[in-house]
Amino acid sequence: MSFMQHDVPLTWYLLLSAVLFSLGVVGFLIKRNLITVFMSIELMLNAVNLSFVAFAYQWHAVKGQIFVFFVMMVAAAEAAVGLAIIIAVFRTRATLAVDRIDLMKL
Amino acid sequence: MNGPPHLWLIPLLPLAGFLLNGILGARLPRWLVTTIGLLAPLGALAVVLNATAVAASHPGITVCKGCTYPQGSFYLPNVETCPHAWIALPGLHVDFTFVLDQLSLVMLLVVTGVGFLIHVYSVGYMRDDPGYARYFSYLNLFLFFMTTLVLAGNVLVMFVGWEGVGLASYLLIGFWFQKPSAAAAGKKAFIVNRIGDFGFLIGIFLLLANFGTLTFSEIANKLAASPIWSSGVLTAICLCLLAGAAGKSAQLPLYVWLPDAMEGPTPVSALIHAATMVTAGVYMIARTHFLFDRAPIALGTVAIVGAATAIFAATIALAQNDIKRVLAYSTISQLGYMFLACGVAAYSAAIFHLVTHAFFKALLFLAAGSVIHAMGGEQDMRKMGGLRKKLPVTFWTMTVAVFTIAGFWPLAAFYSKDAILYAAFVHGVGGKFLWFVGLVTAMLTALYMFRLWYMTFFGELRTADAHPHESPWSMRAPLIVLALLSICGGWIGIERFSSYLAPAVGLHPAVSSFPHLELILGIVAVLVALEGFLIADKYYRRKTERPAQLAAAMPAEYKLLANKYYVDEFYDARLVKPLFWFSQFVLGWVVDFAILGGIAWLLAGIANLSGAILQRWQSGNLRSYAAWLALGAAALLLFVLLGHHFAEPPRIMVNLVRGH
């Protein structure tokens, strides 16, 4: 029972993953709202997750799936920390525009 | 009594005293500090006396090389070696060895005996000093290193003691470090000694390179085994050793530190800068006499240096007014006598004079300390006078010492000085000249010592507000003991003394064709001393205005003497200043600031500049960071994809592409 016969080919998954990743990158680069930037990062992570899962399925390797768990775990932790930082920033600066949060330059 | 003499106890007891008083001294009550400080030298003295008694119960036996004696019996030389080698390298094996032979035994008796007396004296002298415990710990430290130096069985152990006594000397000269002059004097002593020690060190390296061993007895054996040893090498070694000895024993041209060392407490001047440490150079030459015997040029240099120093320092002493400085120049002069004796290969005479000098010069310094104590710290003899009635014990013991150093029969220095002058006289043609210099020095010695005596004890007290008082018994008792030693110390006679020392320093018979020569020379020496006494008597008792008239009549000569031949000024202008300039300008400015500093500034400048450029990336703008990040990721991707065109693809890619 071959993969190619019954299911969506691997290429499609990879294309979808690439599209999602590119959307994430573009959003990351052009959006001004910090939360949107943050969501773009999540999008990139999940695009990578998708390609991991697709490869794992294709090659019957469980390693890829384990990687996905790791990535999800890191993403969850990152979301918690990141959102906490965003709230802290918002409380002090009353803005979420990334262009205006630039105090760390020399 | 036949047990091992436990030589290691001799240095270690003072070391224990140093550690106890040095670490805990400030917290201990004064009586305990005193007890520790006195028990350490007393214990060492007891061990030495025990060893002396044991050695005396085996008269005339000396060990031959390779002979084995029954375990537990005691013979000279007695060798004690630390079971663990100190330095064990291919081609270099040094043990921590102590050797007790006749020479080190005599020296040890002097060091611990006089050392103990001076410790006792210090109890009274330093009673009110806030640094009491520190003082005694330093004094014990000195004894530790000095006994190490004396007991050393090889050159390296001796060097340890040598440097150690230099350290103790430095610490004690600068004991009152609050006084800038004392701190400077300590520094000067240390630096001048370094110059000599540099020579000593070169000598040690030369010994090692030529003999492959540093043990005295092995070097002596190797030297004896090959009579055609090149004398050039030996001369070089001996001259290097002489440099070290001249530094430590304050000989020309390195004597300048000793007069300044009088800044230390007076008992220190007595112990270190008169009786023991400064004689280490003489001891070292006697210890390495087998080298000097084979290097006649070096031996001649020793004699010339000694004679020159003797008369040079004696003339300076004539015009000094500080009581301790007179004694300091006198010490230099007497050390010159010892070097002179070494130079004519009369090592036993040198050691004999070393012993008697330790007695009478320690006595002179301690009596001078008693005077200074009585005068409330005044050292200028022009402000003293008439102390004879006020300080009877000090006066009488000082009188003994003055007559001894002047060389009157039957006091100790008569015998030792006579032995030296006799040995010089019978030492060929050059020896006659050395003898004459020694004789003139003897006259000058009598003159300046009686000058000191008259200025201090006779006439009227020349200070109105001084209330001299006799010193406590802890100070008077050592004076009396040393006075007795100064009287009797020479009665053993040079013949018996040199035959006793013969196994250690060799017998150097001074034979003369003329039978009564020694007697005649002795009478001449006493007459010369009497002449010095009469001159001093005339100038400083009967016609006290004459010295000033004489000085006024010869202003240039007087100024030359009073300013110590301007040697300090000469050294300052010709050596210290150029060296200082060299250090400050060439080393400090050019090397340190310009070259090393320049390299450091260059490196810092590169880092600074690149930082200034790279900091523009640190815009603080999140999106610019994101752009760079994406760009970087893209570049990485591009590299991974096209990488195999340029080079071997990265390992991780190979794995990825191959799958499983």
Side-chain angles (χ1 to χ4, degrees), chain A residues 6-82:
Chain A
H6 296 278
D7 292 313
V8 188
L10 177 66
T11 329
W12 292 21
Y13 287 101
L14 292 183
L15 274 175
L16 178 60
S17 171
V19 169
L20 284 175
F21 190 85
S22 305
L23 282 174
V25 170
V26 172
F28 182 60
L29 289 180
I30 65 169
K31 295 305 272 186
R32 290 186 63 208
N33 191 313
L34 198 52
I35 292 183
T36 320
V37 170
F38 198 68
M39 284 160 68
S40 305
I41 295 171
E42 296 295 324
L43 194 60
M44 283 190 274
L45 283 171
N46 283 308
V48 173
N49 277 354
L50 181 61
S51 57
F52 264 128
V53 173
F55 275 123
Y57 188 74
Q58 166 84 354
W59 286 328
H60 304 287
V62 80
K63 275 189 240 171
Q65 314 228 12
I66 293 171
F67 260 109
V68 172
F69 278 112
F70 273 103
V71 172
M72 284 165 76
M73 189 189 72
V74 170
E78 185 215 321
V81 177

Side-chain angles (χ1 to χ4, degrees), chain B residues 156-421:
Chain B
L156 217 51
V157 176
M158 182 182 245
F159 192 70
V160 169
W162 189 272
E163 292 300 314
V165 290
L167 166 71
S169 162
Y170 164 77
L171 290 173
L172 283 164
I173 294 169
F175 181 74
W176 289 313
F177 54 81
Q178 304 89 338
K179 265 200 313 189
S181 59
K187 221 160 47 179
K188 184 173 179 183
F190 207 68
I191 292 169
V192 175
N193 265 301
R194 281 294 74 62
I195 299 168
D197 292 347
F198 179 69
F200 191 10
L201 211 54
I202 300 288
I204 292 177
F205 293 151
L206 282 175
L207 276 176
L208 192 64
N210 286 291
F211 292 93
T213 174
L214 291 175
T215 311
F216 291 122
S217 54
E218 285 177 23
I219 296 173
N221 286 346
K222 285 197 177 178
L223 210 53
S226 60
I228 46 151
W229 203 279
S230 86
S231 70
V233 169
L234 289 180
T235 305
I237 292 175
C238 289
L239 287 178
C240 286
L241 294 181
L242 172 63
K248 190 64 69 189
S249 288
Q251 297 296 293
L252 283 175
L254 296 176
Y255 72 96
V256 285
W257 64 272
L258 189 57
D260 286 17
M262 297 300 124
E263 290 286 346
T266 306
V268 169
S269 310
L271 178 62
I272 301 185
H273 306 118
T276 52
M277 186 194 81
V278 288
T279 59
V282 181
Y283 176 77
M284 187 251 270
I285 292 179
R287 180 52 88 199
T288 55
H289 71 96
F290 42 83
L291 291 166
F292 281 89
D293 281 342
R294 298 277 289 274
I297 298 172
L299 209 55
T301 314
V302 173
I304 291 165
V305 166
T309 309
I311 193 160
F312 181 79
T315 51
I316 297 179
L318 286 176
Q320 297 303 307
N321 288 317
D322 183 319
I323 185 167
K324 282 181 74 181
R325 280 189 183 253
V326 174
L327 294 179
Y329 281 106
S330 161
T331 305
I332 298 171
S333 172
Q334 297 295 315
L335 289 166
Y337 266 119
M338 295 175 212
F339 270 63
L340 170 58
C342 286
V344 295
Y347 304 108
S348 47
I351 298 296
F352 193 28
H353 196 59
L354 190 161
V355 173
T356 57
H357 175 258
F359 296 151
F360 66 73
K361 189 49 69 63
L363 174 56
L364 280 171
F365 265 111
L366 294 188
S370 181
V371 169
I372 295 167
H373 192 73
M375 296 292 292
E378 183 57 60
Q379 301 195 6
D380 194 333
M381 292 194 295
R382 286 169 298 190
K383 296 185 179 157
M384 296 176 186
L387 295 175
R388 183 175 36 143
K389 293 271 160 45
K390 305 255 177 43
L391 314 170
V393 176
T394 308
F395 168 68
W396 282 110
T397 50
M398 182 72 122
T399 305
V400 168
V402 167
F403 275 87
T404 307
I405 190 176
F408 282 103
W409 185 84
L411 304 168
F414 167 77
Y415 296 95
S416 53
K417 199 184 278 185
D418 209 36
I420 292 174
L421 291 177

Side-chain angles (χ1 to χ4, degrees), chain A residues 25 28-32 34 37 59-61 98-99 101-102 104-106, chain B residues 611 615 618-623 625-630 656-657 659-660:
Chain A
V25 170
F28 182 60
L29 289 180
I30 65 169
K31 295 305 272 186
R32 290 186 63 208
L34 198 52
V37 170
W59 286 328
H60 304 287
V98 286
D99 298 339
I101 309 170
D102 56 356
M104 270 176 66
K105 70 180 172 197
L106 276 167
Chain B
Q615 79 169 9
Q618 206 81 358
S619 63
N621 189 339
L622 193 61
R623 281 197 294 182
Y625 294 157
W628 282 113
L629 199 70
L656 259 176
V657 170
H660 58 214

